[in-house]
Amino acid sequence: MNQVSKADSIAGIRKSWGAEIGADGVRFRIWAPRQREMRLRCSGKDRPMNRSHGGWFELTVAEARGGDAYAFVLSDGKAVPDPASRAQAGDVHDPSLIVDPSYRWMNTGWKGRPWEEAVISEIHIGAFTREGTFKAAAEKLGHLAGMGFTVIEVMPVAQFSGKRGWGYDGVLHYATHSAYGTPADFKAFIDAAHGHGLAVLLDVVYNHFGPDGNYLHGYAPEFFHAARNTPWGAAIDFGQEPVRRYFIENALYWIGEFQLDGLRLDAVEQIYDISKHHILAQLSTEVRDAFVDREVHLVVEDQRNLVSLLERDDRGRVKTFTAEWNDDFHHVAHIIATGETAGHYKPFASELWEKTKLSMLYGFVYPDRADPPELPKDERVYLPPEAFINFLQNHDQVGNRAFGERLISLAHPSMTEMLTAVLFLSPQIPFLFMGEDYGETQPFHFFCDYTGELGEIVRRGRMAEAEGFGGLKEGKTAGDLPDPNAISTFEHSKLRWERSDSDEGRQRKAYVRELIGLRHKYVVPLLKRPGRITSAALESVDGVLAVNWTFGGSKLELRANLSDRRLPVPPFEGAVIFDLLPRSEPGDGKLAAHSVVVALDPKLAK
């Protein structure tokens, strides 16, 4: 049976901010503590709003309807959009639109997927297809499901300035970016994904607002710390209760009204809060309490590698966050694949093979990371492997390079095949960037849509960003960098789906599909077993990775030669479930360069 839902009926959630349709009309609410008076401009008519305790202004308009445009008018006569707008009439500077949240869901029985089953594909809606819309992206969901992916992670869709961008400079955190489609279009995309058995996570940015279109400074400067900044602008003051509600309710809104399966919180190290109950802990608690009947997953990006964010309780259940993007694994893998050791890779270059083992054993090479980072001297806190999302590339690692090269363009094909096998057949959660499954070679650049001084600031900043990700190629200068504001830079970042049907694309798809199939058959059942997973690295020469994971008595064994020469490897006890070996490989206890063998308890390897 189809289901029609209203936002206010979902898990008892009612927004503190914004325009909400109710039985007696549309209620408009905004926090503007620096304003003496506020007016609501709706359908061409200005109405005075009622000021209540704590700097809130509120007004209910009986005749307002879904689709009507509205704005808030400040004491000086300036009209500003709703910071909790669900949709815009134009861009971030234009009036907001009242949105009726009703939607007829088709896949009403969907309850999500257990995290242990996660195989993630990250996509950018604007660059995933030539059209760059939710509707067009929905047409490609069958491909992802057919490959064996179980989770889609969507880069931010909150309304940002201009028509194109990565989405991390959003200023209207409740609105879907108008270039991608309407809120209903996004719901249809999620609904279609569920129909294909795909869970959907949304990337959200709770650490800053974008530099263009944020009017909060004018009427609610208390929203921000007066003397604290992030790398991208003013830091948010989570000590203010209205600010806390804005973001916590935003998380509840996306998961509740849009039926998302979870969120990925961007750069949480830039979320500063000295409150007794940290905003991250409170957000996690409220989300989990609101959706007890669904599989909902919260993922973080955290440059500090805080172990406390990922800890489990005595029964192995998630306490705060489900998993974290594991840059540490990426960095050691990238050095092995490319030889690049500058920028972000520098702390991992020394003792590379030891740090590679640490990443496989414990997830973090540098837990609770110091500056400069140091390897822990004491016993490490146990975290299960599924607390770590491992990847060989993501939007940052590709797009922040000077020329947006993917790993396939930087490393030898046999090296990428080997590392891909290690990625999928290790117990950590595997993650591919869009196009990686069919071997896309098209670069993915940093792109935006800023003009004037702001546009020039972004252009100048690209060189500094690129230095952290490999720097410039020999013979290239800063003048050769793609202009992030040029529409051609965006167009050249779009996937070329025709490659998927090329000989190379079909071969790559077959290989990735095989690995995902093996993961679902052998690795996922092990992760679902109760109890602690133990891991051990066997003594081996530099260049060899020999790790055993034990799941309730059953052992998963990985042997990989990551070097460019033939090397001896420790023996394994189980039955081989996968190997990447030369056809004439002799059985002399050694492995050829770029070779992998994975073995499992013989009783399970059927």
Side-chain angles (χ1 to χ4, degrees):
M1 184 177 71
N2 294 339
Q3 173 182 319
V4 178
S5 63
K6 287 280 190 179
D8 285 353
S9 67
I10 298 173
I13 299 165
R14 184 170 175 83
K15 285 164 56 186
S16 299
W17 295 71
E20 294 289 290
I21 298 176
D24 54 351
V26 179
R27 184 213 63 184
F28 301 86
R29 204 160 187 261
I30 187 171
W31 186 57
R34 289 298 178 95
Q35 294 293 298
R36 300 185 309 278
E37 59 182 30
M38 291 278 285
R39 287 173 290 152
L40 171 72
R41 180 170 294 165
C42 185
S43 300
K45 182 179 179 180
D46 285 9
R47 299 172 173 87
M49 300 185 73
N50 302 313
R51 197 178 200 281
S52 60
H53 177 73
W56 288 98
F57 289 84
E58 185 173 333
L59 183 66
T60 297
V61 180
E63 61 269 30
R65 297 290 182 270
D68 289 352
Y70 70 99
F72 295 114
V73 183
L74 307 182
S75 301
D76 63 2
K78 184 176 184 177
V80 298
D82 182 356
S85 166
R86 279 187 167 96
Q88 289 295 99
D91 66 15
V92 294
H93 305 287
D94 291 319
S96 303
L97 296 176
I98 300 170
V99 173
D100 185 340
S102 299
Y103 178 79
R104 190 169 295 279
W105 294 93
M106 303 302 294
N107 295 288
T108 56
W110 177 262
K111 297 296 181 182
R113 298 194 70 142
W115 183 247
E116 295 83 4
E117 299 176 359
V119 178
I120 305 172
S121 174
E122 182 188 30
I123 71 171
H124 179 281
I125 293 296
F128 189 56
T129 65
R130 181 55 50 191
E131 298 86 349
T133 62
F134 295 126
K135 289 181 179 179
E139 296 298 317
K140 298 295 186 182
L141 293 173
H143 164 82
L144 296 178
M147 289 296 299
F149 289 103
T150 58
V151 178
I152 307 166
E153 185 172 311
V154 181
M155 288 172 65
V157 302
Q159 185 82 46
F160 54 85
S161 177
K163 294 182 178 179
R164 56 192 179 274
W166 278 14
Y168 295 92
D169 277 341
V171 293
L172 302 175
H173 293 276
Y174 289 76
T176 52
H177 186 57
S178 54
Y180 301 156
T182 66
D185 291 337
F186 190 33
K187 291 175 183 176
F189 169 85
I190 297 164
D191 201 6
H194 293 166
H196 285 285
L198 294 164
V200 185
L201 305 182
L202 177 64
D203 204 340
V204 292
V205 183
Y206 293 163
N207 52 57
H208 78 288
F209 283 73
D212 185 37
N214 173 24
Y215 292 96
L216 281 162
H217 290 282
Y219 55 85
E222 293 87 346
F223 206 101
F224 304 94
H225 282 286
R228 181 176 289 274
N229 287 291
T230 74
W232 315 285
I236 294 165
D237 187 356
F238 290 98
Q240 301 281 353
E241 184 61 20
V243 176
R244 299 175 79 86
R245 296 319 308 166
Y246 180 91
F247 288 104
I248 291 173
E249 291 172 12
N250 184 263
L252 297 170
Y253 160 77
W254 286 118
I255 297 171
E257 186 171 313
F258 287 78
Q259 299 290 295
L260 282 162
D261 300 281
L263 305 171
R264 180 263 193 186
L265 277 65
D266 176 71
V268 298
E269 76 277 359
Q270 298 299 333
I271 293 177
Y272 175 78
D273 184 21
I274 58 173
S275 304
K276 184 176 180 180
H277 195 192
H278 195 283
I279 181 67
L280 292 175
Q282 184 179 349
L283 184 150
S284 171
T285 298
E286 292 201 28
V287 166
R288 298 193 187 284
D289 288 349
F291 305 106
V292 294
D293 62 337
R294 291 169 50 192
E295 293 275 1
V296 172
H297 311 296
L298 296 176
V299 171
V300 289
E301 178 192 36
D302 178 26
Q303 297 300 317
R304 302 163 300 179
N305 290 353
L306 291 187
V307 171
S308 59
L309 293 178
L310 302 176
E311 286 181 322
R312 270 51 176 172
D313 66 15
D314 293 339
R315 297 175 60 184
R317 297 174 302 187
V318 172
K319 292 171 65 175
T320 309
F321 290 96
T322 311
E324 179 173 329
W325 276 26
N326 189 9
D327 279 345
D328 287 11
F329 170 81
H330 168 270
H331 292 347
V332 294
H334 188 85
I335 295 171
I336 292 167
T338 68
E340 294 179 351
T341 58
H344 297 300
Y345 311 122
K346 186 175 180 179
F348 299 84
S350 63
E351 301 178 88
L352 173 63
W353 304 112
E354 178 64 21
K355 290 171 183 175
T356 302
K357 292 176 186 177
L358 291 174
S359 74
M360 302 303 289
L361 291 174
Y362 306 114
F364 293 140
V365 175
Y366 296 110
D368 296 325
R369 183 168 176 161
D371 187 18
E374 297 179 356
L375 294 177
K377 298 179 177 63
D378 302 324
E379 184 177 348
R380 291 170 179 249
V381 174
Y382 170 76
L383 293 173
E386 63 268 26
F388 300 96
I389 298 172
N390 282 359
F391 44 83
L392 301 176
Q393 51 200 324
N394 60 37
H395 72 270
D396 273 328
Q397 313 298 348
V398 178
N400 281 323
R401 296 185 63 84
F403 299 98
E405 309 100 323
R406 294 167 176 265
L407 188 63
I408 195 172
S409 301
L410 300 170
H412 192 279
S414 64
M415 176 66 80
T416 59
E417 285 191 359
M418 175 199 63
L419 289 173
T420 302
V422 171
L423 178 75
F424 280 112
L425 298 181
S426 300
Q428 294 83 6
I429 301 299
F431 169 113
L432 296 189
F433 183 51
M434 62 179 191
E436 195 176 351
D437 55 303
Y438 65 77
E440 178 63 83
T441 58
Q442 181 85 330
F444 181 78
H445 301 288
F446 179 80
F447 49 82
C448 54
D449 190 15
Y450 294 132
T451 59
E453 182 181 359
L454 183 55
E456 187 56 36
I457 291 172
V458 173
R459 289 186 189 95
R460 292 197 301 267
R462 293 318 300 161
M463 187 63 248
E465 192 70 62
E467 289 296 340
F469 296 90
L472 290 174
K473 293 180 180 178
E474 187 175 351
K476 296 289 186 179
T477 69
D480 297 314
L481 291 175
D483 180 356
N485 289 297
I487 193 169
S488 58
T489 303
F490 171 54
E491 293 294 334
H492 292 159
S493 298
K494 290 177 179 282
L495 294 185
R496 299 176 301 172
W497 281 94
E498 59 271 20
R499 182 175 172 82
S500 176
D501 295 323
S502 68
D503 289 342
E504 297 90 343
R506 286 194 292 269
Q507 290 173 11
R508 172 69 177 180
K509 285 190 297 185
Y511 181 62
V512 171
R513 192 182 294 114
E514 176 192 7
L515 292 172
I516 296 178
L518 290 171
R519 180 178 183 84
H520 287 314
K521 182 177 181 179
Y522 295 117
V523 181
V524 170
L526 293 173
L527 291 173
K528 289 188 175 184
R529 289 186 174 189
R532 177 175 291 204
I533 300 165
T534 61
S535 58
L538 282 66
E539 186 175 347
S540 58
V541 300
D542 285 353
V544 168
L545 184 61
V547 180
N548 293 342
W549 294 273
T550 303
F551 308 76
S554 296
K555 190 179 295 182
L556 179 69
E557 302 171 285
L558 172 69
R559 305 290 184 266
N561 181 354
L562 311 175
S563 76
D564 293 324
R565 64 190 188 281
R566 187 176 180 79
L567 293 173
V569 299
F572 52 86
E573 301 172 355
V576 174
I577 60 172
F578 173 84
D579 65 67
L580 184 65
L581 298 168
R583 292 181 181 177
S584 58
E585 180 73 357
D588 60 356
K590 295 182 178 181
L591 279 184
H594 305 170
S595 293
V596 183
V597 177
V598 181
L600 185 61
D601 185 329
K603 294 178 292 185
L604 303 176
K606 298 178 180 179

